[in-house]
Amino acid sequence: MDRQLEKKKWSRKRILTIGGITALVLLVSGSIYFTSGKSKLNVDTERLTISEIKKGSFQEFIPVNGIVMPQTTIYLDAMEGGRVEQKFVEDGAMMTKGQPILRLSNTDLELQLANQETQVFNVLTQMQISKNNSEQNSISRQNQNADVDVALKEATRVYNMNKKLYAQKVISTQEFNSSKNQYDYQVKRKQLTKDVMKTDATSMALQATQMGESYSQMKKTLALMRKKVGDLVVRAPVDGQLTSLDAEIGESKNKGQRLGQLDVISGFKVRVDVDEHYISRIFNGLKGDADVAGKNYPLVIKKVYTQVTNGRFQVDMEFVGKTPANIRRGQTLQIHLTLSDETQAILLPKGGFYQQTGGNWIFKVGENGSVAYKVDIQLGRQNPDYYEVLQGLKPGDKVITNSYENYGEMQELVLKK
């Protein structure tokens, strides 16, 4: 008879299935456990820069570089083009006003001057001839007028006498009428001579005025031509030092071409380059200071050039009060340009951490000093030494301020001594 076999409750297949499920559950649970916790990194404290948060005086300023320049610079341009014939001084010479620097030659300009002088001489000669002719014509007219006066006087005498004799019937009507006609003729002749002399006088006066104006205009043109020729000798417009002289014997210079510059040594200014990031905060009257030979000298902005070139713009600063002794044109000065007044603030020393965090968070050291953890912060103004802390830290806190480049995404740093 058949025997009933007892069914096994734990088959091999069932055991393997349950074991696999259990392993999978443990794996997932372990993964969740380890990933849900904070990631940590052991760090040697000797490799860290730990800074303490303090409250103190804060002033926002930026370090900038400036070049010492003369307070006034006058550029020397060629007023007229020409060939460099002679140099009276060399670059760097101290000049006095009116002292010649160099001489140019321009044959075309000199020929124009000679022609203008000839024209003026010709006009002057013509004016003299015209004046002589006018005087001779005036004398002739005066002689004619004298003859007319004599003839009129004689005709008047004869007419008056014949009028009496005719009334007494001593002379004939024909003789009387003849004397009357002669008298009337001489009266009209006198009036005509008078009109002619008046017309001649007006004409001569007008001619003299026109020639005088023409001569005056030509003299002005001649004076201008002489000045243009005189400008071929380049002279110092003011007292100062000649710099950047760019002219050699035999070289041709065009009209308006830069020849050099004259620095007026009455004072100095500093031309400063500033990052365009600060352009909205820079204005006339803003102050700064520079350290020269161990002494601090205050400066103030006098002019702002708003044109931006290669991410920077320029300002001119002048010394307030005493100018440093022995500074020279072209000397570079390091300047602290002040952007705000001095106030009390919570100060965070600057460090490499900012490059990785952007100032949004920082590792703060715990009270026991064995661990540092992330905290969110908010920073405000800055200067070369400190950031202004607005939120997230208080005086007495200690933070890690060196670079976080090797810390990856760590949440905590375990500090090992």
Side-chain angles (χ1 to χ4, degrees):
M1 70 183 281
D2 294 333
R3 188 178 56 174
Q4 187 176 2
L5 296 175
E6 184 179 355
K7 191 174 181 180
K8 295 181 180 180
K9 293 183 179 180
W10 296 96
S11 64
R12 182 178 181 183
K13 181 177 180 181
R14 188 176 183 184
I15 292 174
L16 291 175
T17 301
I18 294 173
I21 293 173
T22 302
L24 181 61
V25 171
L26 292 175
L27 180 61
V28 172
S29 300
S31 177
I32 294 174
Y33 173 79
F34 287 108
T35 57
S36 62
K38 294 183 178 179
S39 55
K40 300 180 181 180
L41 178 67
N42 294 331
V43 182
D44 190 348
T45 55
E46 293 182 356
R47 298 183 178 182
L48 299 178
T49 301
I50 299 177
S51 304
E52 183 176 351
I53 305 300
K54 297 180 180 180
K55 185 173 184 179
S57 298
F58 178 84
Q59 189 173 43
E60 188 179 11
F61 64 89
I62 55 174
V64 292
N65 290 328
I67 303 296
V68 176
M69 302 177 65
Q71 203 165 45
T72 303
T73 297
I74 298 176
Y75 295 104
L76 303 175
D77 296 337
M79 301 297 293
E80 299 295 334
R83 180 178 180 272
V84 180
E85 292 290 339
Q86 185 178 4
K87 291 172 63 176
F88 300 103
V89 293
E90 295 296 333
D91 192 30
M94 299 301 298
M95 308 296 298
T96 58
K97 183 178 180 179
Q99 183 178 350
I101 298 172
L102 56 85
R103 178 174 63 85
L104 304 173
S105 64
N106 186 322
T107 53
D108 291 339
L109 199 60
E110 292 167 354
L111 181 60
Q112 291 177 25
L113 175 61
N115 291 337
Q116 188 66 31
E117 289 176 335
T118 301
Q119 292 179 21
V120 171
F121 177 77
N122 290 339
V123 170
L124 184 60
T125 302
Q126 187 63 36
M127 285 180 63
Q128 188 63 44
I129 294 173
S130 177
K131 182 180 179 181
N132 293 337
N133 290 338
S134 296
E135 290 176 350
Q136 292 177 3
N137 184 63
S138 177
I139 293 172
S140 177
R141 292 296 183 189
Q142 289 176 4
N143 288 332
Q144 291 178 9
N145 186 58
D147 292 341
V148 169
D149 285 342
V150 171
L152 176 59
K153 186 176 182 182
E154 179 62 21
T156 301
R157 185 189 67 79
V158 172
Y159 171 65
N160 290 332
M161 183 182 66
N162 285 345
K163 186 164 56 171
K164 293 179 180 180
L165 293 175
Y166 179 71
Q168 298 173 2
K169 300 185 182 296
V170 174
I171 61 174
S172 64
T173 301
Q174 181 179 356
E175 188 175 356
F176 171 73
N177 289 337
S178 177
S179 64
K180 184 177 183 304
N181 290 339
Q182 183 65 25
Y183 169 75
D184 291 341
Y185 167 71
Q186 292 299 334
V187 170
K188 291 181 179 179
R189 186 184 177 196
K190 173 63 178 178
Q191 185 62 43
L192 180 62
T193 302
K194 184 178 180 181
D195 292 343
V196 169
M197 290 185 67
K198 183 178 180 180
T199 301
D200 285 351
T202 303
S203 177
M204 286 187 293
L206 179 61
Q207 184 178 10
T209 300
Q210 291 176 342
M211 295 197 71
E213 291 177 352
S214 176
Y215 178 67
S216 177
Q217 186 61 39
M218 294 191 74
K219 282 182 66 178
K220 290 180 181 179
T221 304
L222 177 60
L224 180 61
M225 290 298 302
R226 285 173 174 168
K227 182 180 182 304
K228 289 166 73 72
V229 172
D231 287 338
L232 292 175
V233 178
V234 181
R235 300 177 182 273
V238 294
D239 296 348
Q241 183 177 22
L242 179 65
T243 58
S244 304
L245 181 62
D246 181 18
E248 298 297 335
I249 302 297
E251 185 179 5
S252 294
K253 295 293 184 179
N254 297 323
K255 182 176 181 178
Q257 188 171 349
R258 181 64 45 82
L259 301 176
Q261 63 187 45
L262 200 68
D263 295 335
V264 181
I265 314 298
S266 59
F268 291 96
K269 62 183 178 182
V270 183
R271 180 69 54 83
V272 179
D273 285 333
V274 185
D275 191 285
E276 65 176 331
H277 172 75
Y278 299 99
I279 194 168
S280 62
R281 303 186 61 188
I282 303 298
F283 51 88
N284 290 344
L286 204 62
K287 297 179 180 180
D289 59 86
D291 187 273
V292 182
K295 294 183 179 180
N296 190 269
Y297 292 88
L299 298 100
V300 63
I301 292 179
K302 290 294 186 179
K303 187 173 183 180
V304 178
Y305 302 90
T306 55
Q307 182 178 358
V308 177
T309 303
N310 296 327
R312 307 187 75 79
F313 67 100
Q314 294 182 322
V315 300
D316 283 345
M317 303 188 73
E318 294 181 5
F319 290 99
V320 179
K322 187 177 180 180
T323 301
N326 300 322
I327 63 170
R328 293 290 181 265
R329 183 182 189 277
Q331 182 177 345
T332 300
L333 299 181
Q334 292 184 341
I335 299 172
H336 286 171
L337 186 58
T338 304
L339 300 181
S340 69
D341 295 330
E342 188 173 289
T343 59
Q344 291 293 308
I346 299 175
L347 305 179
L348 167 61
K350 279 197 164 183
F353 73 95
Y354 194 90
Q355 280 67 36
Q356 282 75 40
T357 70
N360 296 314
W361 59 273
I362 198 169
F363 280 116
K364 176 182 175 181
V365 179
E367 294 182 1
N368 58 10
S370 62
V371 66
Y373 53 92
K374 274 187 176 182
V375 294
D376 292 331
I377 60 174
Q378 182 180 351
L379 303 180
R381 300 171 297 171
Q382 60 176 293
N383 61 33
D385 300 318
Y386 295 101
Y387 294 108
E388 178 188 27
V389 179
L390 301 180
Q391 290 182 5
L393 296 172
K394 62 182 184 298
D397 289 342
K398 293 184 178 181
V399 292
I400 298 174
T401 55
N402 55 272
S403 173
Y404 293 176
E405 185 177 0
N406 298 323
Y407 301 162
E409 298 298 327
M410 297 298 160
Q411 300 295 313
E412 291 185 2
L413 300 180
V414 179
L415 308 183
K416 300 293 185 181
K417 296 183 180 181

